[in-house]
Amino acid sequence: MQDQPQLGDTPPEIFRQQLHQLVDWIADFREGLDKLPVAPNDKPGTIRGALPSEPPENAEPFDKILGDINRLIVPGMVHWSHPMFLGYFGWTQTGPGILGEIATAPLNVNAMTWRTSPAATELETLVVDWARQMVRLPEKFGGVVYDTASVGIMHALAVAREEAAPSTRKLGLTGRNLPRFRIYTSDQAHSSVEKAAITLGLGEENVQRVPSDSEFRMDVAALRAMIERDLASRQGGIKPLATVATVGTTSTASVDPVPEIAKICRENKMWLHVDAAYGGGFAILPEYQWITKGWSDADSIVINPHKTLFVPLDFSILYVRDLERLRRVFTLVPEYLRGDTIEAEKNYMDYGIQLGRRFRALKAWVIWRSLGRAGMAARLREQMRLTNLLVDWIKADKRFELAAPVVMPVVCFRFIGRDGPPGRPRTSQRDVPTKADADINSEIVEHINASGRAYLTQTKLRGRTVMRIGFGNILTTEEHLRNVWELIQKTAEGSGGSPNRHGD
Ligand SMILES: Cc1ncc(COP(=O)(O)O)c(C=O)c1O
């Protein structure tokens, strides 16, 4: 007769051994991280091809599973925590962040109501308020933790929709004589605005992209003109619903003029959402107080502590001026949860579409206590110091030029030719892109990423491809940056004006 599968959990002594094994693995992984290739250079399907396609019928030992993580998973990763990873909005893996994640795992609660997890609920309220204080948002803003900023903006615009078209939660949008709602955001804003419009039945095309100025900030005059045009539309029936201003845009980290945008929103009774997913965290620095101007006039604001405030992914906070406005749209208590919702301080299931919720607040609490605001501020300042160094190096090398003003630790720059084109202005506003320009800058990034030695991203500004470095990893030192810069210079030199040549 075949052995019956064992019931219950791993015996405690064995679990303890496995945990030690895992802890050693984590520590070894971190110690050896900077020796690993930053990114694999495999073809799609390589990892799946090396793994059994059928689920295991019988239990497998942890040794073997951990061995496969080392052998197959680790080499197939882009290591976002590698000190030479400078792509996207680089984020950080930290000792305290990992401890916070590990401590969350055994608790494994569902924080849907206060009753189902009082500590998770109250800690969420606490850390959301800590973050509010750190970024100096007024007390009238209450918040809720979601996984991402995309989910945050979707909820914010759902409240905007409900306030502009009362009873939408009850009756929906169709079969009623409602206007065509419009949302305005800059041509630099994140695509999560369209995603929210798609989800909410407002329509992707009703997100109107407002041109940005020479520094990639929303052009307020253009916003005003677009709203006026829509209000005066001959077909009629267009209603400006909301404007989404960005503090720290995805490509260049530019900051929209929020106070002026807030004024337009007030005049037209529109919702103002501030997407500070990336930039918001910098408000913990006194020298960045300027970015918070106008926030108190917003209806909602999203910050992503998993981008700039050192919390491991995922952890995003949506703040709403008077959080009750959000609750009114999403509270719905089914009979089977009614007993759980009385006597509650707060039931987070009332503040969004999600019922089951992870205990995300614990990792934020662990890391914010471990670093302190001053510790985070010092690390953000170090990112800015490295940023300024890189900017100096770019300015000193006539083969390169900055492609956008540097506001936060994000640098967009271009290779402009081996000798730097004679007589051409060295600013970002130069005329029309050539195909070779785009190819070279894109190829430099691809070549470096394929080498596994560093990781950058590319973006397009005014139709021109540029290289982009985003700092965010606390392990990146000046030496790493120097190595990356040398690598960029060498790779560019190899490309040297000819889009098809690489300097291997
Ligand atoms: C400005 C901005 N807003 C929103 C988002 C979406 O963030 P999330 O991945 O948390 O949805 C991003 C992502 O990078 C972003 O840069």
Side-chain angles (χ1 to χ4, degrees):
M1 201 178 77
Q2 260 203 320
D3 282 351
Q4 284 298 309
Q6 186 199 321
L7 298 179
D9 204 354
T10 313
E13 265 320 301
I14 295 181
F15 177 64
R16 191 176 291 274
Q17 282 166 21
Q18 293 172 340
L19 204 51
H20 282 294
Q21 223 181 326
L22 183 69
V23 165
D24 282 339
W25 178 81
I26 294 173
D28 290 346
F29 170 74
R30 297 195 83 216
E31 272 178 32
L33 186 55
D34 63 351
K35 315 276 178 321
L36 295 176
V38 188
N41 198 10
D42 296 327
K43 293 208 163 42
T46 307
I47 296 145
R48 280 214 15 219
L51 293 166
S53 58
E54 286 170 7
E57 175 63 14
N58 293 309
E60 296 186 67
F62 182 63
D63 271 350
K64 184 160 179 275
I65 300 168
L66 191 57
D68 282 350
I69 293 178
N70 259 330
R71 192 169 60 85
L72 297 168
I73 305 299
V74 171
M77 303 289 294
V78 172
H79 290 290
W80 284 60
S81 301
H82 195 293
M84 301 281 269
F85 179 90
L86 296 161
Y88 309 100
F89 288 128
W91 51 52
T92 229
Q93 161 243 56
T94 62
I98 294 171
L99 297 179
E101 289 269 37
I102 294 175
T104 308
L107 300 175
N108 194 29
V109 289
N110 188 337
M112 55 189 175
T113 66
W114 178 85
R115 273 275 179 88
T116 61
S117 192
T121 301
E122 293 186 24
L123 203 65
E124 177 161 338
T125 307
L126 182 85
V127 295
V128 161
D129 198 60
W130 278 8
R132 182 195 62 75
Q133 292 174 50
M134 286 194 285
V135 302
R136 292 164 213 248
L137 256 186
E139 260 178 84
K140 60 189 175 188
F141 285 88
V144 51
V145 176
Y146 297 128
D147 51 359
T148 56
S150 305
V151 169
I153 188 175
M154 190 273 289
H155 283 95
L157 293 179
V159 185
R161 187 186 65 172
E162 186 69 22
E163 292 187 4
S167 298
T168 295
R169 101 163 238 174
K170 207 172 182 173
L171 304 171
L173 288 171
T174 53
R176 297 202 283 156
N177 194 17
L178 290 172
R180 181 170 183 177
F181 292 110
R182 282 255 156 97
I183 298 161
Y184 306 82
T185 197
S186 98
D187 57 14
Q188 300 297 309
H190 193 261
S191 54
S192 50
V193 187
E194 276 88 359
K195 285 272 186 93
I198 293 167
T199 312
L200 295 169
L202 295 170
E204 188 181 350
E205 278 190 9
N206 287 315
V207 175
Q208 298 286 295
R209 291 288 185 154
V210 182
S212 51
D213 66 13
S214 61
E215 301 199 354
F216 305 100
R217 301 166 303 194
M218 189 191 288
D219 178 339
V220 178
L223 170 68
R224 193 179 279 284
M226 286 168 82
I227 292 172
E228 281 167 6
R229 184 202 60 199
D230 281 349
L231 286 171
S233 148
R234 272 212 236 126
Q235 294 120 334
I238 297 182
K239 180 159 175 35
L241 174 71
T243 301
V244 178
T246 312
V247 172
T249 55
T250 311
S251 284
T252 67
S254 57
V255 175
D256 285 341
V258 181
E260 288 86 338
I261 296 169
K263 186 163 176 285
I264 294 176
C265 287
R266 257 198 321 274
E267 285 166 12
N268 291 284
K269 298 197 171 35
M270 293 164 68
W271 185 280
L272 171 59
H273 177 74
V274 176
D275 177 357
Y278 172 67
F282 284 89
I284 71 167
L285 299 173
E287 60 270 36
Y288 274 91
Q289 277 316 290
W290 63 272
I291 66 171
T292 68
K293 280 202 189 120
W295 287 9
S296 63
D297 290 329
D299 292 282
S300 55
I301 170 163
V302 83
I303 65 168
N304 268 10
H306 72 227
K307 281 187 175 29
T308 20
L309 292 177
F310 304 95
V311 181
L313 186 76
D314 47 19
F315 194 94
S316 177
I317 308 177
L318 172 71
Y319 291 98
V320 179
R321 183 158 44 77
D322 181 7
L323 194 61
E324 181 58 20
R325 296 161 87 190
L326 176 65
R327 202 189 68 84
R328 276 199 295 270
V329 180
F330 287 102
T331 181
L332 198 161
V333 185
E335 277 314 316
Y336 44 83
L337 286 174
R338 200 162 292 282
D340 277 346
T341 53
I342 45 173
E343 223 186 58
E345 188 214 53
K346 201 170 233 170
N347 297 308
Y348 276 108
M349 69 168 195
D350 285 345
Y351 295 84
I353 55 166
Q354 220 183 330
L355 174 62
R357 327 179 74 244
R358 305 179 55 204
F359 187 4
R360 292 196 181 89
L362 189 64
K363 62 186 178 186
W365 191 61
V366 170
I367 193 151
W368 289 342
R369 290 182 64 184
S370 301
L371 298 182
R373 193 210 58 85
M376 289 194 277
R379 286 168 175 86
L380 291 180
R381 287 197 178 110
E382 173 62 6
Q383 289 173 22
M384 272 321 290
R385 188 185 74 81
L386 295 178
T387 301
N388 291 331
L389 254 185
L390 177 64
V391 167
D392 288 346
W393 295 340
I394 292 169
K395 284 184 177 163
D397 188 330
K398 64 183 185 335
R399 299 166 301 174
F400 294 85
E401 68 174 12
L402 285 176
V406 174
V407 187
M408 290 171 190
V410 170
V411 183
C412 292
F413 61 104
R414 307 177 52 243
F415 178 61
I416 52 174
R418 266 202 180 137
D419 306 311
R424 291 172 94 182
R426 307 207 45 235
T427 71
S428 60
Q429 303 310 313
R430 228 188 50 215
D431 45 56
V432 185
T434 64
K435 174 144 191 326
D437 275 349
D439 286 350
I440 292 168
N441 283 276
S442 177
E443 283 186 21
I444 294 168
V445 171
E446 279 166 22
H447 193 66
I448 288 173
N449 292 355
S451 77
R453 292 173 60 196
Y455 199 97
L456 326 177
T457 34
Q458 51 184 301
T459 187
K460 267 206 169 135
L461 297 176
R462 310 269 179 258
R464 202 158 35 202
T465 302
V466 304
M467 294 182 263
R468 181 184 175 286
I469 283 187
F471 294 89
N473 188 332
I474 59 170
L475 302 176
T476 304
T477 62
E478 192 172 323
E479 195 187 335
H480 291 117
L481 183 61
R482 207 171 284 281
N483 291 339
V484 171
W485 178 234
E486 279 174 18
L487 184 60
I488 293 168
Q489 286 175 307
K490 276 201 191 121
T491 311
E493 188 59 27
S495 310
S498 156
N500 297 319
R501 255 181 324 125
H502 289 306
D504 290 295

